[in-house]
Structure formats: C-alpha cells, structure tokens
Amino acid sequence: MPSYTAPVKDMQFLLHDVLRVSAADTPGYGELEPDFTAAVLEEAGKISSEVLAPLNTVGDTEGCSLENGVVRTPVGFRDAFEQVKAGGWTALDLPEEFGGQNMPYILGTAVGEMFSGANQAFTMYHGLTHGAASAILAHGTDEQKATYLPRMASCDWTGTMNLTEPHCGTDLGLMRTRAEPQDDGSFAITGQKIFISSGEHDLAENIIHLVLARIPGGPEGIKGVSLFIVPKFLVGEDGSPGARNGVACGKIEHKMGIHGNATCVMNYDGARGWLLGEMHKGMRAMFTMMNEARIGVGMQGLAQAEVAYQNALIYARDRLQGRAVTGDENPDGPADPLIVHPDIRRSLMDQKSFVEGARAFLLWGSQMIDRSHRGGDAAAEGLISLLTPVIKGFLTDEGYDMTVQAQQVYGGHGYIEEWGMSQFTRDARIAMIYEGANGVQALDLVGRKLAQDGGKHVMAFFDMVKGFCKENAGVDGMAEFVEPIKKASKDLQAAGMFFMQNGMKNPNAALAGSYDFMHLFGHVCLGLMWGRMARASLDALAAGAGDPDFYNVKLATGHYYMTRRLPATAMHLARIETGAGPVMALKANQF
Ligand SMILES: Cc1cc2nc3c(=O)[nH]c(=O)nc-3n(C[C@H](O)[C@H](O)[C@H](O)COP(=O)(O)OP(=O)(O)OC[C@H]3O[C@@H](n4cnc5c(N)ncnc54)[C@H](O)[C@@H]3O)c2cc1C
C-alpha cells in the first residue's frame, strides 16, 4: 500500500527562506514565525499520513453507495471526518467571529496540499464546504452569515456548488434550472444538476447547496442566472435543521477516480432557496467560490504528483533490475536498484523538479491572495486573477503527467491495482476537467485575462521577472538561472505579441495557440520560482545556515528544471506562431 509523508521541510523552506512570510507586512503574517508554522504543519502532516492516507485505498476500492436516497461514504470516512473537525482543520482561514481561526490563506494552502496528497476524495468534502462558506462570507446578508457560517466552518454542515446540468457544462448560459419567487421572499427551485461533488453523504447533519438558477423574466443567457442557498434540511428559527427540503440525490456516478467522493445527480423539485448576492449576478457570486476552487484544484494536481513521486522514489530504491552501465552499485545483490539507471533518474528529476517548483508557485499565489484579501493590495489581486487559470491548467496537466511517470517507474506493477499507483493517476485526471476544463482555462487566460485592465497585470508580471533578473544578474551562481528565465520570458512576450498582432483580425489565431500559451506561462512561472529558490539556497549556503545538503540538492534540482524543462517554452512559442492554419486546416467533415 502506498504511503504519504508530509513535505514539512520543503514547506518551511518556502515559507521562510523564499517567501519570508513572517517579515512581510501582510496583516496576520507576523504570527507566521518558523516555530509556529512548523507546529501546524507537523500536526497536519501527522493526521495526513496516519489518518487520511490509510483510507485512500479504502475509498478507492469501496467507493460510495446510494440506497433509498441515502449516500454512504466508505468505511472509516466518518471517524476521520470527526477527527479533522475536532482538530479545527476545516476553517483555518475563516474569520474567528464565525468559528474559524483567522489564519492566513497561505497556511491553509500548505495544509490543503497535505490532506489532498493523502486523500483527495476525502478532502473534497470539507474543501468544497470552505468554498461555499467563502461565497456566503463575500455575498451573504448578515443573517445568512450568522445562520450558515459557524456550522459550515465546523463542517457540522457541509457545502456544495451546483452549476452543471445535463446539457450545459462549460456554456452555463444554457442553464434551465428555474427559481420562482415566493410571497415570503424565498424561491422555489426546480431542475436537475449533475456531477455534484459531495452532493449527498453521511458525514454531516445538513448539506448547504449553492445552486445557480434562472429567475423567470430575467435576461437571456448567463446574465439571467442567480445564485441561491438551498439547504438539504430547512433551518428552523433556533438554527437547527428541521423539515426535509425538496432536493434529493437521484443517482451517484461510477467514475474513473476519486471513488470516495460522491458525485451526485441532484434533483430539485420546488426546493426552497434563498437568493445569495444580487439577482441575476449569480455568476459573480459563484466566481468567489470558483476562483478559490480553481486554486484548490491546481493544488490537487501538485498533491497527486507529490504522493506518486514519493512512492516511485521508494520503489526505485528498492526494486532490483539490471546493472548500472558504469559498474555494479549493489555488488552483493543479484542486480542494482532501479534508481541507478539514467532514464529512471530523468523521470524522478522531472517529478521532483515539477513538484517543488509547483509548490513554490502555489504558495506564492496564496501569498498574493492574502495580500489582496488582507492587505487590500490591488496589484496582487490583478496578478493572482491573471495567474489563476495558469495555476489550474498547468499544474493539473503536469501533475497528471507526473503521476503517469511515477506509475511508469513501477513498470507492470504500476498498472495493476495492488501497488496503488494507478489510483494516483485516476484521481489526478479529474482535476484537468472540473472547475472549467483546462482548454477553457486557456481560453480564459488568452481571451480575457491577458487584456484585463488594459493588459496591466501581464505587464506587471513581465516587470517582476525583469526585476528579478536585474537584481540577480551579478550574483555568484545565479547566471545559470537568470539567463534561462530571461530567454523563457522573452518567448512568453513574443507569444503575447503574436496574439496582439494577429488575434484581432483572426481570433482563431489566438485561440489555436491558447493551450500552448498556458503551458508556456506555467513554465515561466516555475522557472521564476526555481530562480527564487536558487537565490534563497545560495544565500543560506553563504550564511552557513541550516543543512547544506538540502540547499545543494535544491540548486541541482533547479538546474535540472532550467536545462531540461524550461526549454519547452521555445517549442510552445513555435507552435503558437504557426497561428490557426495547421489547426483549422481540415473542414469538420474531413476528420
Ligand atoms: C467527478 C466530477 C465532479 C464534478 N463536480 C462538480 C461540482 O461539484 N459542481 C458542478 O457544478 N460541476 C461539477 N462537475 C462538472 C464539471 O465541472 C464539468 O464536467 C466541466 O465543467 C465540463 O463541462 P462538460 O462536462 O459539460 O463538458 P463540455 O462543456 O461539453 O466540454 C467538453 C469539452 O469541450 C471543451 N470546450 C467547451 N466549450 C469550449 C469552447 N468554447 N472552446 C474550446 N473548447 C471548449 C471543454 O474544454 C471540454 O474539453 C464535475 C464533473 C465530474 C466529472
């Protein structure tokens, strides 16, 4: 059975050596002293490896079941959920007045990576609750906040997001679910939502559905969609769950992965709902949840890659096959371990350099969220808005690829279920699809985010990269990082220029290159992260601080990314510059 070890040391390095959180002027960051974050991360690591990881295979093999409208989660999930609740892990960054701990988002991200790496299907039950609570916090009335948030913070009540319908996923303007106004100010919600994660289960005493629906007479398309709070059990005057509402789970899906999370068809039959936020501005309110969820899904890509890598590494050290071409390394054994072979090393280095770079990217992104939410920093808000589709799309595509590479290290033993490696690949796959499929993330990036606010956020990104290169130009040991970052950033600028020059007269020229652009951007971000980690490592080595081996390994891993992964930017640019021609050459009926 696979194991999971929380990467506490790496997270501490990022928080303190690279991002220097406790010195940052973001409100709440002063508390993030190394001893404090270490204590939180160690504790989260313990629950991840001892409670959640052992249930990962159980969830996969047992799955959820539906009987008479009741969904049962796999054996052990209920106890584990109670432990997670009792530890206060479900509301780390929610405000204290609603039962949260008011910690910065960045710490929640680090803990979230651990929980997801240990058991993604399980973590989704409280992960989605957090997203729903954030939407209520941002858009709810005082009464709604008081009614729902404390119970959702504790996860006595969980939350869901209901967008998808059978005929509409990406194109939500086609939505049919109706919300009829009632005399008492509530709405009667009728329609069917599909693929609803955690839509029904036995972990909580109530489930608070956030449902997008159309109020009759409103504008056509996406502009006529509003968001509603629809509890499974209606909430009584005293705040306790009362009568059953008109919403029920009609079916749970059988699917490729995340078997431990119930993916439900939800039937709304005149269910009572209450408007959340403004009428017809449902997408705006839902986006609070979706933006958070997109960062969380990017994190899932990283988390599955991390746990798969950890196990591939153990296997590569253990499994004896063949001999090193440079001479036996295990002369007393029948063969050498897999890890002696350069091709296995390549795979492990791909995985390691991705995982550590992605973690830096995600924590840096979370720092921007804190700057924006806690510090009111508009530049940080603009930057994270630009980078959200990159975090979601790039980290989940690459994360999935890395789980496949980890599986490959096991040969045939990775393909059979006994070793548990196929679960990581199967679980990672969904992250490329939900919260907006990755192709749509690329469209959002190129079609909307690049030009947002007159292109000022992408310009700020380029300035930041330029600033980093300038600052580190003459620093001993940094040339091998600065030069590749400069080159990759130039590729990104050239791609942006190509879109500007060609996108207006031929929009297909931009859209045909959007997926490559998202990956090009992702590589530049990871390159920049490796540059920052390299600088922090060199500084620590020069100061004689900490464990020199840790920092030297960082430098070598970063060097690998610069030389073996970052050059992918040239290929992406070359593809982008071919425009729409090769992509659109065939007529639809010629395929
Ligand atoms: C396990 C699971 C859990 C889920 N959880 C939830 C949940 O909790 N709540 C919820 O509301 N939904 C949920 N979903 C639904 C999920 O978000 C959608 O499946 C996803 O958004 C894609 O919608 P679709 O499946 O209808 O695909 P479609 O919209 O039909 O898209 C199909 C393909 O076409 C591409 N495409 C579509 N439009 C365009 C375009 N204009 N340009 C280029 N490419 C395009 C997409 O990228 C995709 O690859 C879940 C799905 C699954 C499988």
Side-chain angles (χ1 to χ4, degrees):
M1 195 196 286
S3 61
Y4 177 75
T5 308
V8 176
K9 192 168 180 180
D10 200 42
M11 288 177 174
Q12 284 284 90
F13 164 71
L14 289 170
L15 292 175
H16 301 292
D17 292 21
V18 181
L19 300 173
R20 301 181 184 280
V21 286
S22 53
D25 57 6
T26 307
Y29 269 43
E31 288 170 34
L32 300 181
E33 291 292 343
D35 285 352
F36 174 73
T37 58
V40 173
L41 296 177
E42 293 287 354
E43 200 50 38
K46 211 162 136 206
I47 194 163
S48 301
S49 49
E50 293 175 11
V51 179
L52 305 187
L55 287 175
N56 201 34
T57 318
V58 178
D60 188 51
T61 47
E62 202 180 304
C64 298
S65 62
L66 172 69
E67 251 176 73
N68 301 324
V70 178
V71 172
R72 305 241 171 270
T73 52
V75 165
F77 270 40
R78 285 184 74 151
D79 282 351
F81 203 66
E82 289 308 315
Q83 286 189 54
V84 168
K85 281 166 62 178
W89 297 109
T90 54
L92 277 185
D93 64 325
L94 290 175
E96 270 169 341
E97 63 173 310
F98 298 118
Q101 303 194 39
N102 204 27
M103 287 189 196
Y105 186 84
I106 197 169
L107 205 56
T109 301
V111 170
E113 187 210 311
M114 292 180 185
F115 285 11
S116 269
N119 195 328
Q120 178 173 323
F122 174 91
T123 301
M124 286 170 68
Y125 289 103
H126 61 89
L128 279 154
T129 308
H130 187 284
S134 297
I136 295 175
L137 185 65
H139 303 282
T141 61
D142 287 347
E143 196 188 338
Q144 286 172 334
K145 288 183 202 172
T147 305
Y148 297 106
L149 289 181
R151 279 110 176 160
M152 292 174 80
S154 65
C155 266
D156 288 339
W157 299 357
T158 59
T160 68
M161 56 191 287
N162 292 239
L163 295 86
T164 310
E165 299 183 6
H167 59 284
C168 83
T170 303
D171 189 354
L172 291 167
L174 301 173
M175 189 172 295
R176 287 186 196 140
T177 298
R178 287 191 331 273
E180 304 274 357
Q182 305 296 295
D183 292 343
D184 64 357
S186 70
F187 289 79
I189 314 286
T190 303
Q192 188 179 67
K193 297 287 179 180
I194 63 165
F195 298 164
I196 305 308
S197 298
S198 318
E200 178 58 53
H201 57 80
D202 56 0
L203 301 177
E205 59 190 38
N206 204 357
I207 302 177
I208 309 306
H209 303 290
L210 296 195
V211 184
L212 283 177
R214 196 177 279 294
I215 300 171
E220 291 291 309
I222 200 69
K223 293 205 170 106
V225 165
S226 307
L227 186 60
F228 298 89
I229 300 177
V230 186
K232 172 179 166 184
F233 292 105
L234 295 168
V235 181
E237 294 273 302
D238 62 351
S240 59
R244 185 75 201 237
N245 202 355
V247 47
C249 170
K251 182 187 166 206
I252 54 174
E253 305 293 350
H254 297 281
K255 53 194 193 288
M256 177 176 174
I258 53 164
H259 295 158
N261 190 270
T263 307
C264 303
V265 171
M266 300 303 297
N267 295 319
Y268 292 85
D269 186 9
R272 287 185 75 194
W274 287 267
L275 188 66
L276 176 59
E278 287 176 57
M279 202 181 270
H280 308 317
K281 300 266 167 62
M283 280 314 288
R284 201 163 80 187
M286 190 55 114
F287 258 109
T288 304
M289 187 165 181
M290 278 160 63
N291 278 334
E292 181 181 305
R294 283 176 181 175
I295 307 275
V297 171
M299 178 184 74
Q300 291 177 343
L302 153 66
Q304 291 309 301
E306 163 73 31
V307 65
Y309 163 67
Q310 285 185 14
N311 286 280
L313 178 59
I314 294 169
Y315 193 81
R317 286 187 168 136
D318 214 42
R319 170 84 166 165
L320 304 180
Q321 287 296 294
R323 288 290 185 191
V325 285
T326 47
D328 296 1
E329 297 205 9
N330 178 32
D332 298 333
D336 286 336
L338 286 175
I339 199 164
V340 303
H341 304 304
D343 189 56
I344 292 287
R345 290 292 184 94
R346 169 200 59 76
S347 168
L348 292 174
M349 286 302 275
D350 275 359
Q351 294 170 57
K352 182 173 169 59
S353 63
F354 165 72
V355 159
E356 294 176 15
R359 180 172 298 125
F361 186 23
L362 205 66
L363 291 180
W364 175 55
S366 302
Q367 191 177 33
M368 283 187 267
I369 291 176
D370 280 327
R371 276 196 200 141
S372 144
H373 289 182
R374 292 175 165 252
D377 181 338
E381 188 182 348
L383 205 49
I384 190 61
S385 163
L386 171 74
L387 294 177
T388 296
V390 183
I391 289 177
K392 198 285 182 178
F394 182 69
L395 297 194
T396 59
D397 277 358
E398 290 274 311
Y400 173 78
D401 284 354
M402 295 308 152
T403 66
V404 174
Q405 292 227 38
Q407 194 182 24
Q408 190 77 4
V409 169
Y410 279 68
H413 300 273
Y415 191 72
I416 62 170
E417 293 295 343
E418 188 182 337
W419 289 83
M421 293 304 284
S422 98
Q423 185 187 352
F424 300 133
T425 304
R426 290 185 288 102
D427 286 0
R429 184 68 181 85
I430 185 57
M432 298 157 73
I433 299 170
Y434 57 21
E435 288 311 329
N438 284 358
V440 175
Q441 300 298 325
L443 284 188
D444 180 42
L445 176 65
V446 170
R448 209 164 68 87
K449 296 291 176 69
L450 271 188
Q452 203 173 31
D453 298 327
K456 105 172 169 205
H457 308 304
V458 74
M459 294 315 293
F461 178 83
F462 286 131
D463 284 348
M464 190 180 53
V465 176
K466 216 156 120 192
F468 175 84
C469 292
K470 208 164 151 195
E471 199 183 304
N472 288 282
V475 176
D476 245 11
M478 281 302 289
E480 63 187 83
F481 293 92
V482 169
E483 290 312 313
I485 292 171
K486 255 192 210 163
K487 158 86 182 64
S489 171
K490 267 193 193 143
D491 288 344
L492 187 64
Q493 288 185 51
M497 192 58 78
F498 176 84
F499 292 152
M500 268 171 57
Q501 286 166 352
N502 297 279
M504 287 299 261
K505 53 180 188 278
N506 180 8
N508 279 350
L511 299 189
S514 59
Y515 212 90
D516 279 289
F517 188 78
M518 181 173 77
H519 275 253
L520 203 172
F521 213 145
H523 277 299
V524 174
C525 290
L526 259 61
L528 179 66
M529 292 301 107
W530 273 113
R532 288 191 171 173
M533 288 191 279
R535 178 63 198 269
S537 300
L538 288 167
D539 287 352
L541 284 168
D547 170 7
D549 197 43
F550 177 87
Y551 297 117
N552 283 319
V553 168
K554 273 282 169 218
L555 289 167
T557 311
H559 184 242
Y560 181 89
Y561 199 88
M562 295 293 139
T563 51
R564 300 273 310 204
R565 305 296 322 281
L566 198 56
T569 59
M571 176 198 68
H572 290 301
L573 174 62
R575 286 186 187 170
I576 289 166
E577 288 182 337
T578 64
V583 170
M584 302 300 282
L586 302 185
K587 295 191 179 75
N589 65 5
Q590 287 180 311
F591 280 90

Short mmCIF file of all heavy atoms in Angstrom, two decimals, residues 163-203:
data_model
loop_
_atom_site.label_atom_id
_atom_site.label_comp_id
_atom_site.label_asym_id
_atom_site.label_seq_id
_atom_site.Cartn_x
_atom_site.Cartn_y
_atom_site.Cartn_z
N LEU A 163 -23.54 23.89 -10.54
CA LEU A 163 -23.61 24.63 -11.80
C LEU A 163 -24.10 23.73 -12.92
O LEU A 163 -25.00 24.07 -13.66
CB LEU A 163 -22.22 25.15 -12.20
CG LEU A 163 -21.54 26.19 -11.32
CD1 LEU A 163 -20.76 25.54 -10.20
CD2 LEU A 163 -20.57 27.01 -12.15
N THR A 164 -23.47 22.55 -13.02
CA THR A 164 -23.60 21.72 -14.22
C THR A 164 -25.00 21.09 -14.36
O THR A 164 -25.57 20.63 -13.37
CB THR A 164 -22.53 20.61 -14.19
OG1 THR A 164 -21.27 21.25 -13.93
CG2 THR A 164 -22.45 19.86 -15.49
N GLU A 165 -25.49 21.09 -15.59
CA GLU A 165 -26.75 20.41 -15.93
C GLU A 165 -26.45 19.46 -17.09
O GLU A 165 -25.41 19.60 -17.74
CB GLU A 165 -27.82 21.44 -16.30
CG GLU A 165 -28.11 22.38 -15.13
CD GLU A 165 -29.22 23.40 -15.40
OE1 GLU A 165 -29.86 23.33 -16.47
OE2 GLU A 165 -29.43 24.25 -14.52
N PRO A 166 -27.35 18.53 -17.37
CA PRO A 166 -27.03 17.54 -18.40
C PRO A 166 -26.61 18.16 -19.74
O PRO A 166 -25.70 17.67 -20.39
CB PRO A 166 -28.33 16.74 -18.55
CG PRO A 166 -29.01 16.88 -17.22
CD PRO A 166 -28.64 18.24 -16.71
N HIS A 167 -27.26 19.24 -20.13
CA HIS A 167 -26.99 19.84 -21.44
C HIS A 167 -26.05 21.04 -21.33
O HIS A 167 -25.79 21.70 -22.32
CB HIS A 167 -28.31 20.31 -22.06
CG HIS A 167 -28.96 21.31 -21.15
ND1 HIS A 167 -29.60 20.92 -20.01
CD2 HIS A 167 -28.97 22.65 -21.17
CE1 HIS A 167 -30.01 21.99 -19.36
NE2 HIS A 167 -29.64 23.05 -20.05
N CYS A 168 -25.57 21.37 -20.15
CA CYS A 168 -24.67 22.53 -20.05
C CYS A 168 -23.62 22.36 -18.97
O CYS A 168 -23.92 22.09 -17.82
CB CYS A 168 -25.45 23.84 -19.90
SG CYS A 168 -26.00 24.29 -18.28
N GLY A 169 -22.37 22.46 -19.42
CA GLY A 169 -21.24 22.38 -18.51
C GLY A 169 -20.43 23.66 -18.63
O GLY A 169 -20.52 24.57 -17.80
N THR A 170 -19.70 23.77 -19.75
CA THR A 170 -18.92 24.98 -19.98
C THR A 170 -19.83 26.17 -20.28
O THR A 170 -19.63 27.27 -19.75
CB THR A 170 -17.97 24.75 -21.19
OG1 THR A 170 -17.16 23.61 -20.91
CG2 THR A 170 -17.11 25.97 -21.45
N ASP A 171 -20.85 25.92 -21.10
CA ASP A 171 -21.72 27.00 -21.56
C ASP A 171 -22.92 27.15 -20.61
O ASP A 171 -24.02 26.68 -20.88
CB ASP A 171 -22.20 26.67 -22.98
CG ASP A 171 -22.93 27.84 -23.63
OD1 ASP A 171 -23.15 28.84 -22.94
OD2 ASP A 171 -23.27 27.72 -24.82
N LEU A 172 -22.66 27.84 -19.50
CA LEU A 172 -23.68 27.90 -18.45
C LEU A 172 -24.85 28.81 -18.83
O LEU A 172 -25.88 28.82 -18.15
CB LEU A 172 -23.04 28.36 -17.13
CG LEU A 172 -22.09 27.32 -16.53
CD1 LEU A 172 -21.26 27.94 -15.41
CD2 LEU A 172 -22.84 26.10 -16.01
N GLY A 173 -24.71 29.56 -19.90
CA GLY A 173 -25.81 30.39 -20.39
C GLY A 173 -27.00 29.55 -20.81
O GLY A 173 -28.13 30.05 -20.92
N LEU A 174 -26.76 28.25 -21.06
CA LEU A 174 -27.86 27.36 -21.49
C LEU A 174 -28.66 26.82 -20.31
O LEU A 174 -29.58 26.02 -20.50
CB LEU A 174 -27.27 26.17 -22.27
CG LEU A 174 -26.45 26.47 -23.53
CD1 LEU A 174 -25.81 25.18 -24.07
CD2 LEU A 174 -27.33 27.11 -24.59
N MET A 175 -28.32 27.26 -19.12
CA MET A 175 -28.91 26.70 -17.91
C MET A 175 -30.45 26.77 -17.90
O MET A 175 -31.03 27.77 -18.32
CB MET A 175 -28.37 27.50 -16.73
CG MET A 175 -28.70 26.93 -15.38
SD MET A 175 -27.80 27.85 -14.14
CE MET A 175 -26.11 27.45 -14.55
N ARG A 176 -31.08 25.69 -17.37
CA ARG A 176 -32.55 25.66 -17.36
C ARG A 176 -33.16 25.69 -15.96
O ARG A 176 -34.35 25.94 -15.82
CB ARG A 176 -33.03 24.37 -18.04
CG ARG A 176 -32.84 24.39 -19.53
CD ARG A 176 -33.48 23.14 -20.14
NE ARG A 176 -32.98 22.95 -21.50
CZ ARG A 176 -32.66 21.79 -22.02
NH1 ARG A 176 -32.78 20.69 -21.31
NH2 ARG A 176 -32.22 21.71 -23.25
N THR A 177 -32.42 25.34 -14.94
CA THR A 177 -33.00 25.28 -13.59
C THR A 177 -33.66 26.61 -13.26
O THR A 177 -33.09 27.68 -13.47
CB THR A 177 -31.90 24.93 -12.56
OG1 THR A 177 -31.39 23.65 -12.89
CG2 THR A 177 -32.45 24.91 -11.14
N ARG A 178 -34.92 26.52 -12.76
CA ARG A 178 -35.73 27.73 -12.54
C ARG A 178 -35.82 28.06 -11.06
O ARG A 178 -35.84 27.17 -10.21
CB ARG A 178 -37.16 27.48 -13.02
CG ARG A 178 -37.35 27.44 -14.50
CD ARG A 178 -38.85 27.46 -14.88
NE ARG A 178 -39.77 26.87 -13.91
CZ ARG A 178 -40.09 25.59 -13.86
NH1 ARG A 178 -39.53 24.74 -14.71
NH2 ARG A 178 -40.97 25.13 -12.97
N ALA A 179 -35.96 29.35 -10.79
CA ALA A 179 -36.18 29.81 -9.41
C ALA A 179 -37.40 30.73 -9.42
O ALA A 179 -37.33 31.86 -9.92
CB ALA A 179 -34.95 30.56 -8.92
N GLU A 180 -38.53 30.24 -8.92
CA GLU A 180 -39.78 31.02 -8.93
C GLU A 180 -39.90 31.80 -7.62
O GLU A 180 -39.88 31.20 -6.53
CB GLU A 180 -41.00 30.09 -9.01
CG GLU A 180 -40.99 29.13 -10.18
CD GLU A 180 -41.59 29.75 -11.44
OE1 GLU A 180 -42.06 30.91 -11.35
OE2 GLU A 180 -41.58 29.08 -12.49
N PRO A 181 -40.07 33.13 -7.71
CA PRO A 181 -40.20 33.92 -6.48
C PRO A 181 -41.45 33.53 -5.69
O PRO A 181 -42.50 33.29 -6.28
CB PRO A 181 -40.33 35.37 -7.00
CG PRO A 181 -39.94 35.33 -8.43
CD PRO A 181 -40.14 33.94 -8.92
N GLN A 182 -41.34 33.46 -4.37
CA GLN A 182 -42.47 33.12 -3.49
C GLN A 182 -42.85 34.36 -2.66
O GLN A 182 -42.02 35.27 -2.49
CB GLN A 182 -42.07 31.97 -2.54
CG GLN A 182 -41.55 30.74 -3.26
CD GLN A 182 -42.61 30.09 -4.13
OE1 GLN A 182 -43.61 29.59 -3.65
NE2 GLN A 182 -42.40 30.11 -5.46
N ASP A 183 -44.05 34.34 -2.12
CA ASP A 183 -44.53 35.50 -1.37
C ASP A 183 -43.66 35.83 -0.16
O ASP A 183 -43.54 36.98 0.25
CB ASP A 183 -45.97 35.27 -0.89
CG ASP A 183 -46.91 35.25 -2.09
OD1 ASP A 183 -46.48 35.72 -3.17
OD2 ASP A 183 -48.04 34.73 -1.95
N ASP A 184 -43.05 34.80 0.44
CA ASP A 184 -42.28 35.06 1.67
C ASP A 184 -40.84 35.49 1.39
O ASP A 184 -40.01 35.56 2.29
CB ASP A 184 -42.27 33.80 2.55
CG ASP A 184 -41.55 32.64 1.87
OD1 ASP A 184 -41.12 32.79 0.70
OD2 ASP A 184 -41.42 31.57 2.50
N GLY A 185 -40.56 35.76 0.12
CA GLY A 185 -39.20 36.22 -0.22
C GLY A 185 -38.26 35.09 -0.61
O GLY A 185 -37.14 35.34 -1.08
N SER A 186 -38.68 33.84 -0.41
CA SER A 186 -37.83 32.72 -0.83
C SER A 186 -38.12 32.41 -2.30
O SER A 186 -38.94 33.09 -2.94
CB SER A 186 -38.08 31.50 0.05
OG SER A 186 -39.36 30.97 -0.23
N PHE A 187 -37.46 31.41 -2.84
CA PHE A 187 -37.66 30.99 -4.24
C PHE A 187 -37.90 29.49 -4.26
O PHE A 187 -37.37 28.75 -3.41
CB PHE A 187 -36.42 31.32 -5.08
CG PHE A 187 -36.23 32.79 -5.31
CD1 PHE A 187 -35.69 33.61 -4.31
CD2 PHE A 187 -36.61 33.38 -6.52
CE1 PHE A 187 -35.52 34.98 -4.52
CE2 PHE A 187 -36.45 34.74 -6.72
CZ PHE A 187 -35.90 35.54 -5.73
N ALA A 188 -38.69 29.03 -5.22
CA ALA A 188 -38.89 27.59 -5.40
C ALA A 188 -37.98 27.14 -6.55
O ALA A 188 -38.16 27.59 -7.69
CB ALA A 188 -40.35 27.30 -5.72
N ILE A 189 -37.04 26.28 -6.22
CA ILE A 189 -36.02 25.88 -7.20
C ILE A 189 -36.41 24.54 -7.80
O ILE A 189 -36.63 23.56 -7.08
CB ILE A 189 -34.63 25.73 -6.52
CG1 ILE A 189 -34.31 26.92 -5.59
CG2 ILE A 189 -33.53 25.49 -7.55
CD1 ILE A 189 -33.96 28.20 -6.24
N THR A 190 -36.44 24.50 -9.15
CA THR A 190 -36.81 23.26 -9.84
C THR A 190 -35.85 23.02 -11.00
O THR A 190 -35.63 23.92 -11.83
CB THR A 190 -38.25 23.33 -10.38
OG1 THR A 190 -39.12 23.61 -9.27
CG2 THR A 190 -38.68 22.04 -11.03
N GLY A 191 -35.30 21.83 -11.06
CA GLY A 191 -34.41 21.49 -12.16
C GLY A 191 -33.48 20.36 -11.74
O GLY A 191 -33.57 19.84 -10.62
N GLN A 192 -32.60 20.00 -12.67
CA GLN A 192 -31.66 18.91 -12.36
C GLN A 192 -30.21 19.38 -12.54
O GLN A 192 -29.86 19.98 -13.55
CB GLN A 192 -31.90 17.72 -13.29
CG GLN A 192 -31.08 16.51 -12.89
CD GLN A 192 -31.35 15.32 -13.79
OE1 GLN A 192 -31.02 15.33 -14.96
NE2 GLN A 192 -31.94 14.27 -13.23
N LYS A 193 -29.41 19.10 -11.54
CA LYS A 193 -27.97 19.38 -11.61
C LYS A 193 -27.25 18.03 -11.62
O LYS A 193 -27.67 17.09 -10.92
CB LYS A 193 -27.53 20.20 -10.39
CG LYS A 193 -28.18 21.57 -10.30
CD LYS A 193 -27.60 22.53 -11.34
CE LYS A 193 -28.24 23.89 -11.29
NZ LYS A 193 -27.68 24.81 -12.30
N ILE A 194 -26.19 17.95 -12.39
CA ILE A 194 -25.46 16.67 -12.44
C ILE A 194 -24.01 16.88 -12.01
O ILE A 194 -23.52 18.01 -11.96
CB ILE A 194 -25.50 16.01 -13.84
CG1 ILE A 194 -24.80 16.90 -14.88
CG2 ILE A 194 -26.94 15.73 -14.26
CD1 ILE A 194 -24.48 16.16 -16.18
N PHE A 195 -23.35 15.76 -11.70
CA PHE A 195 -21.92 15.75 -11.35
C PHE A 195 -21.64 16.58 -10.09
O PHE A 195 -20.60 17.24 -10.02
CB PHE A 195 -21.06 16.30 -12.50
CG PHE A 195 -21.11 15.53 -13.79
CD1 PHE A 195 -20.64 16.12 -14.96
CD2 PHE A 195 -21.58 14.23 -13.85
CE1 PHE A 195 -20.64 15.43 -16.17
CE2 PHE A 195 -21.59 13.53 -15.06
CZ PHE A 195 -21.13 14.13 -16.23
N ILE A 196 -22.54 16.61 -9.14
CA ILE A 196 -22.33 17.47 -7.98
C ILE A 196 -21.49 16.75 -6.92
O ILE A 196 -21.93 15.76 -6.31
CB ILE A 196 -23.68 17.97 -7.39
CG1 ILE A 196 -24.48 18.67 -8.51
CG2 ILE A 196 -23.46 18.89 -6.20
CD1 ILE A 196 -23.74 19.77 -9.29
N SER A 197 -20.28 17.26 -6.73
CA SER A 197 -19.35 16.64 -5.78
C SER A 197 -19.87 16.81 -4.36
O SER A 197 -20.29 17.91 -3.98
CB SER A 197 -17.97 17.30 -5.89
OG SER A 197 -17.44 17.10 -7.17
N SER A 198 -19.85 15.75 -3.59
CA SER A 198 -20.30 15.74 -2.19
C SER A 198 -21.77 16.14 -2.07
O SER A 198 -22.19 16.65 -1.02
CB SER A 198 -19.45 16.70 -1.32
OG SER A 198 -18.10 16.61 -1.64
N GLY A 199 -22.54 15.92 -3.15
CA GLY A 199 -23.94 16.36 -3.18
C GLY A 199 -24.79 15.72 -2.10
O GLY A 199 -25.71 16.34 -1.58
N GLU A 200 -24.48 14.48 -1.77
CA GLU A 200 -25.23 13.78 -0.70
C GLU A 200 -24.22 12.83 -0.03
O GLU A 200 -23.36 12.25 -0.69
CB GLU A 200 -26.39 13.00 -1.33
CG GLU A 200 -27.23 12.19 -0.37
CD GLU A 200 -27.86 13.01 0.74
OE1 GLU A 200 -28.53 14.01 0.45
OE2 GLU A 200 -27.66 12.66 1.92
N HIS A 201 -24.31 12.71 1.27
CA HIS A 201 -23.38 11.84 2.01
C HIS A 201 -23.82 11.73 3.46
O HIS A 201 -24.79 12.38 3.87
CB HIS A 201 -21.95 12.38 1.91
CG HIS A 201 -21.80 13.78 2.40
ND1 HIS A 201 -21.70 14.08 3.73
CD2 HIS A 201 -21.78 14.98 1.75
CE1 HIS A 201 -21.60 15.40 3.87
NE2 HIS A 201 -21.66 15.97 2.68
N ASP A 202 -23.07 10.94 4.23
CA ASP A 202 -23.47 10.71 5.63
C ASP A 202 -22.48 11.31 6.63
O ASP A 202 -22.36 10.85 7.75
CB ASP A 202 -23.60 9.19 5.87
CG ASP A 202 -22.31 8.45 5.53
OD1 ASP A 202 -21.32 9.10 5.10
OD2 ASP A 202 -22.27 7.21 5.69
N LEU A 203 -21.76 12.34 6.20
CA LEU A 203 -20.73 12.91 7.08
C LEU A 203 -21.23 14.09 7.89
O LEU A 203 -20.57 14.50 8.85
CB LEU A 203 -19.51 13.35 6.25
CG LEU A 203 -18.82 12.28 5.41
CD1 LEU A 203 -17.68 12.88 4.59
CD2 LEU A 203 -18.26 11.17 6.31
#
